[in-house]
Amino acid sequence: MTIEILMPALSPTMEEGTLAKWLVNEGDSISSGDLIAEIETDKATMEVEAVDDGKIGQLLVPAGTEGVKVNTPIALLIDSTELPHTSIKTIADKPYLEKEKITTELKIKKPVKLEPNSSIITVREALRNAMAEEMRSDKKVFVMGEEVAEYQGAYKVTQGLLDEFGNKRVYDTPITEHGFAGIGIGAAFGNLKPIIEFMTFNFAMQAMDQIINSAAKTLYMSGGQMGCPIVFRGPNGAASRVAAQHSQCYASWYSHCPGLKVVSPWSSKDAKGLLKSAIRDPDPVIFLENEVMYGQSFSCPDDDDFLVPIGQANIEKEGSDVTIIAFSIMVGKSLEAADILNEKGIKAEVINLRSLRPLDTETIINSVKKTNRAVTCEEGFPFAGIGAEISAAINENAFDWLDAPVKRVTGKDVPMPYAANLEKLALPQVDDIVNACTEVCYKR
Amino acid sequence: MKKNISSLVKNKSKMNYDLDLLKDMYKKMLLIRRFEEKAGQLYGMGKIGGFCHLYIGQEAVVVGIQSAQMEGDSIVTSYRDHGHMIACDMDPKGVMAELTGREDGYSKGKGGSMHMFSREKGFFGGHGIVAAQVPIGAGLAFAHKYNMNNNVCITYFGDGAANQGQVYESYNIASLWQLPVIFVIENNKYGMGTSVNRSSAGDNLSDRGKAYGIESEIVDGMDIIAVREAAIKAIEYCRLGKGPYILEMKTYRYRGHSMSDPAKYRTRDEVEQIRKTSDPIENIKVLLNKMGVVDKVLKDIDVEIKSIIADAAKFAQDSPEPSPSELYTDITIN
């Protein structure tokens, strides 16, 4: 009897991984619970255990193979009496794989264009570089949060910081968001420049009082004496299949409050430039990342002083027929939508907001005056969301230029469901953006 | 006020205490009391709005602790903060002008009674949310340790705040990281209208530090000498890098929780009894008399303080309201 050992999913967002190392050889007898391989995910290197007893018949995927998709057979388990197929050396040689048409090809992605004086790096690396560079140049900057030091970051964003800067600059906290957010704020009042990582912004709700009442309002209540130069950062928005309590966009919550700056990067360039600006900023900055974006690669300037100013949106794609206004992961989806729209003869302009507060109203309004149509995109709930705010700003500033009502593409007005199909329905998809744009262009 | 603590030999009898220091402490306590009485009066006249929490009865706590601090130490407290600001040598004029919501107030009239600050004097507020100042205090202590400046942070909170979760989150981290923070619980027996017995399980609030390995002491907060001695010990401990320390000050507030509190949860007799037997200002006055300070000298101090308070009250009412343009300043720095 032959059992397939499949590439396991080791995190909610894992779609593929690297088979770093086999810990068994073909012909080895194994029991359930034995370690058989090391697999590198976007978050960590994990050891994989056997779930059945038997003998390793074949190792289908050689050690070191990258981009092995979840559920790909990686080995065959045979009865202990059978003989292993030791003669087959590479994947290409394995008739088994051909028969099943299983490939380990990387997901087809658009090639990333390398800009001058830049490197192609992931959003995760860009964030880490931003922190490391600022920590090198300013001794007052330190990092604090759950699992940021010895564990190297729950999402590996702070990887290597402990090694470089030591435990006087990188602090593992207990799981007490309210407490360590408050301690960070106190340290900022004491003239330090803390970067507080929330494992996700879902957990920052525990710290909401400190963020709003202490960090955001104290400057005003002190007549300008008590600046609070702090960055609260971490993943925000939907992850994958983690349900309502762990999948929510908080952009409109924080943007609602005077005293805070709220930024949300899309690309590696945004991530590095905005985070560096946030760390250097004298005010409290909420820095909303996106877990799904961490592993995506973009061209990013190498310069240690590359900054993206807070409050400046970027036009990612120019167009004349409709303005799509998005931030974070929705920028990528908007660009995909723009390509589809292009085929339909609609030229969409895509604005990457980058900052939500202060909002770059000028860029939005100038674009709408050109295109006369606008669609806003966000993962958050529609009610009192960022799209509502943008729509109001357009009404106030460009009403006479509009040829159609502003349309909002948002997450659905429901707590995030767990079931895969429902989750997909709850989240805004590329098609939703395409449909909204064709609607405001009256092309349906 | 910031005397060198090493110049005072501990365990001296009270009679051997430095007379100038005692007179200073008396003066400062009286200044706080008269300030608060005036604030109460101005509130009654409608000159002060919103919430106003008076410190009358608790003066020995902050004045005694302040006498043990050194330059560069920071302090942070709750919304019952007027006494702390005066103890930090903040100008009573600026404090009173903030109470009246005028432009010469410490927060330009934008903070009010509960939200005042002075970086210059090491006073970091004045926080309106019960217990929010506790992690902030631990954070200020974190900054002292990070900067290796040998300073400490005195973090005050009440018995009511002592039941908030963030206090224990702060205890845990402060002990784990050995932060130089002295947690001062001003146990005035009532969190608003609910007595400690009705709100807090266990015998003493200070005992709760034991679970985190934090040293603590219960102190008679109506006896300024006892407060000072305990503060010297606690602050020394912190400065040596041994971590946090808890001082539970058993004290009493004579007035209601805020101005609108009829204080029906306790009897008049209870208040009167404490005023008669353990008033912190009367206590030190008796001691000064015993040490040979004649009534005339004390009287002169009274007169001086009355004039400071009268000036502050006048200043606070003469200072203009903030300009409408102030509405949009100080929201962010840039």
Side-chain angles (χ1 to χ4, degrees):
Chain A
M1 191 197 69
T2 305
I3 297 170
E4 289 174 348
I5 299 176
L6 305 177
M7 181 71 167
L10 299 168
S11 81
T13 46
M14 177 177 168
E15 289 174 0
E16 59 187 38
T18 298
L19 208 162
K21 194 176 170 186
W22 280 111
L23 302 173
V24 289
N25 294 312
E26 291 183 348
D28 286 358
S29 289
I30 56 167
S31 312
S32 123
D34 286 353
L35 296 179
I36 57 168
E38 280 180 9
I39 288 174
E40 224 174 276
T41 70
D42 55 343
K43 289 185 190 169
T45 302
M46 312 269 284
E47 286 170 332
V48 178
E49 290 179 3
V51 288
D52 294 293
D53 298 342
K55 191 193 278 184
I56 300 289
Q58 286 184 11
L59 298 180
L60 300 171
V61 175
T65 309
E66 291 178 13
V68 184
K69 293 219 182 80
V70 167
N71 283 338
T72 305
I74 53 172
L76 294 181
L77 198 63
I78 53 175
D79 281 344
S80 49
T81 51
E82 290 179 71
L83 284 175
H85 306 262
T86 45
S87 59
I88 303 167
K89 297 290 182 211
T90 65
I91 306 172
D93 292 340
K94 292 179 194 276
Y96 176 84
L97 285 176
E98 279 167 31
K99 195 174 69 195
E100 299 289 320
K101 289 192 181 143
I102 288 161
T103 63
T104 57
E105 270 175 56
L106 279 166
K107 204 170 151 187
I108 297 153
K109 284 176 193 161
K110 258 190 167 177
V112 180
K113 195 179 156 224
L114 181 62
E115 288 165 12
N117 303 317
S118 300
S119 306
I120 291 179
I121 57 172
T122 61
V123 170
R124 172 185 285 110
E125 288 164 327
L127 293 168
R128 183 175 60 233
N129 292 352
M131 286 189 279
E133 287 166 16
E134 293 306 300
M135 288 173 81
R136 278 175 214 131
S137 63
D138 187 350
K139 296 268 182 291
K140 289 180 171 180
V141 180
F142 70 93
V143 177
M144 185 189 277
E146 292 156 8
E147 311 291 7
V148 297
E150 294 193 9
Y151 194 91
Q152 305 292 331
Y155 295 93
K156 284 211 281 195
V157 176
T158 55
Q159 191 170 36
L161 294 183
L162 176 66
D163 293 341
E164 181 175 350
F165 299 99
N167 62 8
K168 297 278 178 274
R169 306 283 300 281
V170 188
Y171 291 83
D172 278 328
T173 63
I175 307 168
T176 54
E177 284 80 7
H178 200 184
F180 71 73
I183 286 174
I185 291 163
F189 288 155
N191 280 327
L192 299 182
K193 306 195 83 178
I195 303 170
I196 305 296
E197 175 174 311
F198 290 117
M199 194 180 288
T200 80
F201 264 94
N202 302 287
F203 313 142
M205 281 214 281
Q206 296 254 12
M208 203 51 126
D209 172 65
Q210 285 291 355
I211 297 171
I212 305 300
N213 275 320
S214 301
K217 294 179 183 171
T218 304
L219 183 72
Y220 195 79
M221 294 198 302
S222 64
Q225 285 185 73
M226 299 283 290
C228 188
I230 192 168
V231 177
F232 295 104
R233 51 153 291 271
N236 169 66
S240 177
R241 306 292 311 282
V242 289
Q245 291 176 338
H246 288 75
S247 248
Q248 185 173 340
C249 175
Y250 290 90
S252 82
W253 289 52
Y254 293 106
S255 300
H256 185 64
C257 289
L260 292 178
K261 290 173 180 167
V262 184
V263 301
S264 191
W266 165 59
S267 65
S268 305
K269 192 173 175 176
D270 294 346
K272 172 171 168 171
L274 275 177
L275 186 51
K276 288 167 72 75
S277 290
I279 295 167
R280 294 182 192 188
D281 200 275
D283 294 309
V285 181
I286 304 290
F287 196 92
L288 303 170
E289 299 159 10
N290 186 292
E291 184 189 331
V292 180
M293 294 301 299
Y294 281 150
Q296 296 201 20
S297 295
F298 298 85
S299 178
C300 182
D302 297 324
D303 183 4
D304 273 13
D305 282 316
F306 170 73
L307 298 174
V308 169
I310 293 175
Q312 261 183 32
N314 189 46
I315 297 174
E316 298 291 343
K317 185 184 173 76
E318 291 198 15
S320 52
D321 298 335
V322 56
T323 301
I324 305 175
I325 303 138
F327 61 96
S328 188
I329 191 170
M330 294 307 292
V331 175
K333 292 190 181 179
S334 299
L335 288 170
E336 280 182 56
D339 286 346
I340 297 169
L341 288 163
N342 199 34
E343 287 163 18
K344 299 180 176 211
I346 296 172
K347 298 205 168 5
E349 177 145 303
V350 177
I351 295 178
N352 171 7
L353 285 176
R354 303 195 294 200
S355 294
L356 302 167
R357 189 193 251 272
L359 186 69
D360 186 355
T361 312
E362 197 186 332
T363 297
I364 298 169
I365 297 305
N366 287 343
S367 175
V368 172
K369 284 181 178 174
K370 181 174 71 171
T371 64
N372 313 111
R373 294 170 165 89
V375 168
T376 69
C377 298
E378 65 189 305
E379 273 191 336
F381 304 127
F383 195 91
I386 297 292
E389 180 61 34
I390 293 170
S391 176
I394 295 171
N395 272 337
E396 286 164 358
N397 297 290
F399 187 75
D400 291 339
W401 279 266
L402 283 177
D403 286 346
V406 176
K407 193 113 191 123
R408 287 178 289 167
V409 174
T410 67
K412 300 297 185 297
D413 205 8
V414 297
M416 186 67 70
Y418 168 72
N421 64 328
L422 297 182
E423 184 185 60
K424 196 169 178 220
L425 285 172
L427 284 169
Q429 307 295 340
V430 174
D431 284 350
D432 298 324
I433 306 171
V434 171
N435 291 341
C437 289
T438 40
E439 235 174 84
V440 297
C441 291
Y442 303 118
K443 292 273 173 78
R444 289 196 103 170
Chain B
M1 268 319 275
K2 283 166 183 162
K3 296 266 160 117
N4 184 353
I5 53 168
S6 58
S7 69
L8 278 152
V9 182
K10 275 180 263 169
N11 301 324
K12 273 184 184 178
S13 80
K14 286 181 181 178
M15 293 293 284
N16 291 335
Y17 240 81
D18 183 289
L19 192 60
D20 286 341
L21 174 68
L22 286 178
K23 272 200 276 188
D24 275 351
M25 295 200 293
Y26 170 73
K27 198 169 155 182
K28 195 148 266 183
M29 286 201 289
L30 200 62
L31 184 63
I32 293 172
R33 181 158 301 182
R34 297 287 173 259
F35 182 95
E36 294 292 63
E37 286 165 355
K38 180 56 83 178
Q41 193 190 351
L42 292 177
Y43 192 94
M45 293 159 66
K47 306 281 185 191
I48 295 172
F51 294 128
C52 183
H53 309 86
L54 303 181
Y55 196 62
I56 298 175
Q58 301 179 212
E59 297 91 344
V61 175
V62 74
V63 176
I65 291 173
Q66 194 70 17
S67 77
Q69 285 175 227
M70 78 176 193
E71 203 67 43
D73 291 344
S74 50
I75 93 165
V76 66
T77 188
S78 72
Y79 43 80
R80 194 179 306 283
D81 56 355
H82 310 159
H84 301 71
M85 292 187 275
I86 289 167
C88 287
D89 290 329
M90 284 167 69
D91 187 348
K93 286 180 179 167
V95 180
M96 198 67 96
E98 188 61 38
L99 297 184
T100 53
R102 306 304 172 94
E103 72 170 24
D104 293 304
Y106 267 98
S107 299
K108 302 186 201 164
K110 297 199 278 193
S113 163
M114 303 186 285
H115 318 104
M116 272 182 261
F117 308 82
S118 170
R119 276 191 180 276
E120 187 204 343
K121 302 288 184 187
F123 182 72
F124 288 84
H127 293 268
I129 305 296
V130 173
Q133 77 276 18
V134 180
I136 290 172
L140 287 161
F142 177 93
H144 288 313
K145 185 168 173 150
Y146 191 96
N147 292 326
M148 296 186 285
N149 60 17
N150 204 31
N151 280 116
V152 300
C153 176
I154 316 284
T155 301
Y156 293 89
F157 57 98
D159 47 277
N163 289 319
Q164 286 273 24
Q166 57 183 324
V167 170
Y168 301 95
E169 297 190 23
S170 305
Y171 278 6
N172 183 44
I173 294 180
S175 182
L176 205 59
W177 296 350
Q178 298 207 296
L179 302 180
V181 52
I182 294 112
F183 296 109
V184 180
I185 307 170
E186 296 196 62
N187 182 351
N188 64 18
K189 295 191 172 154
Y190 297 92
M192 201 168 158
T194 304
S195 70
V196 174
N197 297 339
R198 291 204 302 125
S199 65
S200 307
D203 290 334
N204 293 301
L205 298 171
S206 54
D207 291 345
R208 298 178 180 184
K210 283 179 189 161
Y212 302 91
I214 304 177
E215 292 286 323
S216 66
E217 189 179 337
I218 295 171
V219 185
D220 177 359
M222 305 303 267
D223 175 354
I224 195 164
I225 306 288
V227 172
R228 181 181 152 83
E229 297 286 346
I232 289 171
K233 189 175 144 198
I235 291 173
E236 262 181 7
Y237 180 93
C238 278
R239 275 202 224 291
L240 287 171
K242 293 181 178 176
Y245 204 100
I246 296 168
L247 293 175
E248 181 180 355
M249 298 287 170
K250 301 278 192 191
T251 181
Y252 199 78
R253 73 169 146 74
Y254 297 170
R255 298 292 184 95
H257 163 72
S258 66
M259 298 307 295
S260 50
D261 173 13
K264 292 267 162 66
Y265 44 83
R266 61 186 185 187
T267 61
R268 274 184 178 280
D269 278 356
E270 180 183 307
V271 183
E272 273 317 300
Q273 194 58 31
I274 290 179
R275 263 181 185 278
K276 259 189 229 153
T277 57
S278 36
D279 184 77
I281 297 178
E282 281 308 310
N283 280 345
I284 197 168
K285 208 169 168 179
V286 170
L287 179 64
L288 284 169
N289 280 150
K290 275 190 195 161
M291 289 170 76
V293 179
V294 293
D295 281 346
K296 166 81 172 70
V297 173
L298 298 176
K299 190 91 193 160
D300 286 349
I301 292 175
D302 283 8
V303 170
E304 188 194 339
I305 283 170
K306 271 197 183 120
S307 118
I308 294 170
I309 297 301
D311 287 352
K314 183 170 186 313
F315 178 84
Q317 293 174 82
D318 290 348
S319 170
E321 288 189 315
S323 146
S325 66
E326 277 298 325
L327 185 61
Y328 285 106
T329 63
D330 306 322
I331 296 165
T332 54
I333 292 174
N334 70 11

